[in-house]
Amino acid sequence: MKHKTENSNGRAVWSIALKMLWRRRLVSLLLLGVALIGVFSSLALHSLTRRQEDALKIAIEQTLIHCVMTDVRGLNSDNLNVPSSFADIFSGMRGNEFDPKKNLSPLVKNVRAKATFPLTSPSDTFMCRVLTFDSDSRLNSIDGYAIEYADGYDESVLKTQERVCFIPRDMQGMQIGDDGREYFSVLSETGESFLLKVAGRVGNGSNNVIYVPFNMSSDDNVLSEAFFMDSCSFDVCDSLIPEQTLSKKKELFFSNPYIVEPNIKNEPQNFSVGILVQDASYLEMRSEMESNLKLLTFLLPLLILIMGCIGFFASFLTTRGRVTEFAVMRSMGMKRIRLFALVFCEQAIPAFAGGIIGFAGGLMLNEGAGISALIKACVILMIFLLGSAVAVMQLTSINTMELLRLEE
């Protein structure tokens, strides 16, 4: 019997609440709209935060920071005349002999290095050792240069020790070897000659430059394995060795006593070089993106606080005019908890409806929203209802006799 009575009372509360919703439909629409805006805003904020996080992650993973080898003062980067071992250290061909635990090659991508040597034959011609074709700034400054590769070759051959060459498209004087391949004979300034297999031709480039692999071997000792190079540059990606900050990664470069940070006050020393890390634009971009992300992260607690306050004041201001009505209900024997449930249902039903509509609208604009977005939306709605509950509890917890006495 008691269970049936409780069910009957519950149905009565819902019936009265629905009737009050219709009678106070403008207030109900107001509460619905506030809840809708709050939940929708939480989803929009979640979407913006996730996009900013993705953008920051992509920027860290894909942005390449250009580094240039210079003299110790940072004034010269094209005619360094420094040992080729520096390029070997950065490309991984040689470890950091000064501190083997501080290997530089994992930090580095796209190493570019160039060394130019004059030849006696062909006359007025230079042999250029390169790791990649863009190692030579002369090619980078030419629009429309093209590389025509021989069968079985591509640019990767420049990182090997093969005795091959890339000659200008119009250059003559090739020889056909026993293997049917073209060979080109060159004569060094020392008077010794050797044959290089033609791996391709350079179109629209310099007519007096022959390109060979940077670490090309010299079986007949025409070219020494140790030589001086003109320039070197490479790229650093912040996502490489992710547990270290960019400043820590830069310190690894300068752990080599022959590598310094360029400064106009530095005194030139034998074989010492500077590394100019051009990271200013990257650091500025990353700082701006991280600031935006912090702002978006701060906005969620602020939105929660605002929704709690709005829930309280919206319920308080739209319900305080019914205090006399509540006093009459209490004087007629309605329990305080039932009165609270009745009034709170009037606030909760439109709030839930607005939350559902706001969540559905947010999903339409943010299809990839997951469980975290749902949790944030629920938190916003619960805080709004908590504010409403506090206001309703304050208004329904009245001293009935005192209120009636004042009304008289």
Side-chain angles (χ1 to χ4, degrees):
M1 179 67 69
K2 182 178 180 181
H3 181 69
K4 291 182 178 180
T5 302
E6 291 176 352
N7 288 340
S8 177
N9 290 339
R11 287 193 294 270
V13 168
W14 280 101
S15 177
I16 296 173
L18 290 174
K19 291 179 180 179
M20 291 302 299
L21 284 175
W22 176 251
R23 195 180 77 179
R24 304 175 66 244
R25 48 187 175 272
L26 293 179
V27 173
S28 300
L29 288 175
L30 173 63
L31 295 173
L32 184 149
V34 172
L36 185 155
I37 293 173
V39 171
F40 183 85
S41 299
S42 71
L43 288 177
L45 186 59
H46 171 81
S47 176
L48 290 173
T49 302
R50 191 181 64 177
R51 291 177 183 177
Q52 189 69 15
E53 290 173 344
D54 292 342
L56 178 59
K57 182 179 179 181
I58 292 174
I60 293 175
E61 291 179 348
Q62 298 184 0
T63 301
L64 296 178
I65 302 170
H66 191 56
C67 302
V68 180
M69 183 177 293
T70 68
D71 59 17
V72 294
R73 294 180 174 177
L75 302 177
N76 175 32
S77 61
D78 294 326
N79 299 290
L80 296 177
N81 199 34
V82 296
S84 59
S85 56
F86 285 110
D88 295 338
I89 291 174
F90 293 129
S91 61
M93 295 287 292
R94 176 182 300 183
N96 189 347
E97 56 195 56
F98 302 99
D99 191 346
K101 295 182 179 179
K102 296 180 179 180
N103 187 13
L104 300 180
S105 59
L107 294 173
V108 174
K109 299 178 67 175
N110 307 328
V111 181
R112 297 168 288 270
K114 183 191 71 170
T116 305
F117 304 91
L119 295 173
T120 302
S121 177
S123 60
D124 300 324
T125 304
F126 297 88
M127 183 170 64
C128 187
R129 290 175 174 256
V130 290
L131 277 173
T132 58
F133 282 113
D134 61 357
S135 300
D136 187 3
S137 59
R138 289 171 295 191
L139 287 180
N140 293 332
S141 63
I142 298 175
D143 293 331
Y145 85 90
I147 308 298
E148 301 169 358
Y149 296 100
D151 292 341
Y153 288 103
D154 56 29
E155 188 177 11
S156 62
V157 74
L158 294 175
K159 296 182 180 180
T160 69
Q161 295 182 345
E162 291 190 47
R163 294 167 59 81
V164 298
C165 67
F166 292 83
I167 62 176
R169 178 185 295 168
D170 299 329
M171 184 166 282
Q172 304 297 322
M174 275 69 66
Q175 306 174 26
I176 304 299
D178 296 337
D179 57 0
R181 293 274 191 174
E182 291 183 331
Y183 287 80
F184 192 77
S185 176
V186 298
L187 180 66
S188 71
E189 287 190 327
T190 61
E192 297 178 278
S193 63
F194 55 94
L195 286 175
L196 298 176
K197 185 184 295 186
V198 177
R201 294 174 178 269
V202 181
N204 300 326
S206 298
N207 293 325
N208 63 339
V209 178
I210 299 172
Y211 295 96
V212 299
F214 187 77
N215 292 300
M216 184 182 71
S217 63
S218 178
D219 295 340
D220 51 8
N221 294 322
V222 173
L223 297 174
S224 173
E225 295 300 328
F227 54 90
F228 292 96
M229 62 180 181
D230 305 328
S231 62
C232 181
S233 65
F234 53 87
D235 298 323
V236 174
C237 187
D238 203 6
S239 63
L240 300 175
I241 314 183
E243 66 274 9
Q244 295 181 344
T245 62
L246 182 59
S247 59
K248 290 292 184 181
K249 295 171 185 177
K250 290 167 64 175
E251 289 177 3
L252 289 178
F253 294 137
F254 307 123
S255 64
N256 187 314
Y258 290 101
I259 300 177
V260 300
E261 192 166 3
N263 191 305
I264 193 65
K265 297 181 180 180
N266 289 340
E267 291 296 330
Q269 299 178 2
N270 290 335
F271 303 136
S272 292
V273 298
I275 297 295
L276 183 61
V277 182
Q278 301 174 345
D279 58 353
S281 59
Y282 167 75
L283 292 177
E284 181 180 357
M285 174 196 68
R286 178 168 178 172
S287 176
E288 182 178 351
M289 296 180 72
E290 289 177 341
S291 298
N292 293 338
L293 187 57
K294 288 180 180 179
L295 176 61
L296 291 173
T297 304
F298 169 75
L299 288 179
L300 181 60
L302 181 61
L303 179 61
I304 292 174
L305 177 62
I306 292 175
M307 287 301 295
C309 294
I310 291 177
F312 175 84
F313 286 109
S315 296
F316 185 86
L317 295 176
T318 58
T319 310
R320 65 176 181 174
R322 300 170 60 196
V323 173
T324 304
E325 177 185 342
F326 300 156
V328 172
M329 290 180 175
R330 289 290 310 281
S331 65
M332 294 176 64
M334 180 177 285
K335 294 182 179 180
R336 179 178 298 174
I337 186 64
R338 186 179 179 187
L339 178 59
F340 169 81
L342 174 64
V343 180
F344 181 69
C345 283
E346 296 177 14
Q347 314 293 320
I349 291 174
F352 272 116
I356 293 173
I357 297 173
F359 188 77
L363 287 180
M364 292 177 63
L365 298 178
N366 184 24
E367 297 179 358
I371 188 67
S372 60
L374 177 61
I375 292 175
K376 292 177 182 178
C378 290
V379 169
I380 291 292
L381 185 58
M382 291 301 104
I383 293 297
F384 178 77
L385 291 175
L386 179 62
S388 296
V390 172
V392 171
M393 184 175 292
Q394 182 176 342
L395 292 171
T396 55
S397 300
I398 55 176
N399 188 323
T400 306
M401 299 306 297
E402 182 67 20
L403 179 62
L404 292 177
R405 187 182 65 81
L406 292 174
E407 290 291 330
E408 292 177 358

